[in-house]
Amino acid sequence: MSTVMVLGGGGREHALAWKLAQSPQVESVLCVPGNPGTALEAKCHNLPISPLDPTALLEAIGRHGVNLVVIGPEAPLVAGVADNLRRAGVAVFGPNQAAAQLEGSKSFAKAFMERHGIPTARYGRFTDLSSASHFLAQQSFPTVIKADGLAAGKGVVIAEDFTEGQRALEQFLPWGPVVIEEFLQGEEASFIAIVVDGQVLPLAGSQDHKRLLDSDLGPNTGGMGAYSPTPILNPAMIERVRREIMLPTAKALSLEALPYRGFLYAGLMITQEGPKVLEFNCRLGDPETQPLLMRLRSDLFPILWTAAQGDALPPQLDWDTQLALCVVLAAPGYPDAPRLGQEILGLDRDPGPNAKIFHAGTQWHGGRFQTAGGRVLGITALAPSIGAAQARVYELARMVSWPGLQMRRDIGWRALASRR
Ligand code: AMP
Ligand code: GLY
């Protein structure tokens, strides 16, 4: 029997802890720091330690006899926490710092893709305003301006004209390099795989909804809802992405001596010319994880354990053929300035079978659940069709409330439209 430690405390980590705890091989799951949702899960315990503090982590790993550490969010990966733990002999699922630059630095990722012929938008990288402006003036619009480093979804501007682009350059450049890239037209999808030293084990396809408002309007967010599977990632397209993007990327990582043991997430634009990479993340997506893990029938623990050892991965994973859908309930003011500390009503009710309310930004305070982050809850359900999953999730969402709660009403709209 094993003890697993999950780093992070968002909706993705609640889903990871919930799924890992279902393994007959897992005795307990330590959530660092976890959230009030993980605190309620069977076999799960929260530890109030920072996922960014390797000394405290190693002390807790020793004290609790942890067999495997699974790193959820990007911040500890980009900070090199996996390196620290591996150096101390701990089995870790999550890439080292050097490979996590695929997410931590847009220009690293772009140059990597360029070197290895991985399909992505054309781009230029700039550190000073005059050469950036000069390049911008030669582009057709819309054109995309990205801050180079981690920006929690706020470092991307789609400029409709030169003036808007120039404003974004002036905003981003004082903080570091920028990437100016070609605007890609098409439908977005999330393709996540377990990558281990050149091997690729794809998860099911999924689709996120990045804009705050219905019909994909309003500002970009970390994700307002997701579902799996998605019609755009049909079996032929999945095979194409595996062959044209994931395998070449996994092989190139090995070739560049960037050993990778973790989830690799390709944010894709499915264009007329085929799938192209918008971004790489070195972790699971949030909120894609919630519906994905609800559909996953395979035991996750032995797979992550095998991966952490660098052993051979199974040829495929077993998925429920039904559809899972997650809608995010967000705080008022999200994403710019979320208003927090409000009491959450309705969390005491049981959502019933094949449904789950994952906590993301909550706290337990004075005997009550309160909002404590921009994205507060992820209500997720598994059902035979997109319509049934939507109906179930929105019915459950009605049970929960706080003043000013924000949620999209159209999660899964593309899948519904493609059925008509
Ligand atoms: P990123 O953080 O790079 O994934 O960008 C956030 C969002 O901006 C993406 O989900 C897309 O909706 C949009 N985006 C980013 N790059 C491009 C691009 N080259 N063409 C079109 N849309 C883009
Ligand atoms: N849902 C997008 C992300 O996790 O980056």
Side-chain angles (χ1 to χ4, degrees), residues 145 147 150-157 171-172 220-222 334-338:
I145 321 273
L150 286 183
K154 289 182 190 155
V156 177
V157 167
Q171 183 195 335
F172 291 159
N220 248 322
T221 71
Y334 177 75
D336 292 333

Side-chain angles (χ1 to χ4, degrees), residues 12 74 103 190 208-210 221-223 226 265 279 281 283-288 375:
R12 165 184 50 218
E74 61 275 23
E103 171 163 8
S190 307
D208 187 11
H209 299 60
K210 293 231 169 91
T221 71
Y265 169 130
E279 62 163 347
N281 295 321
R283 49 168 176 84
L284 284 169
D286 191 337
E288 290 95 327
R375 291 186 292 169

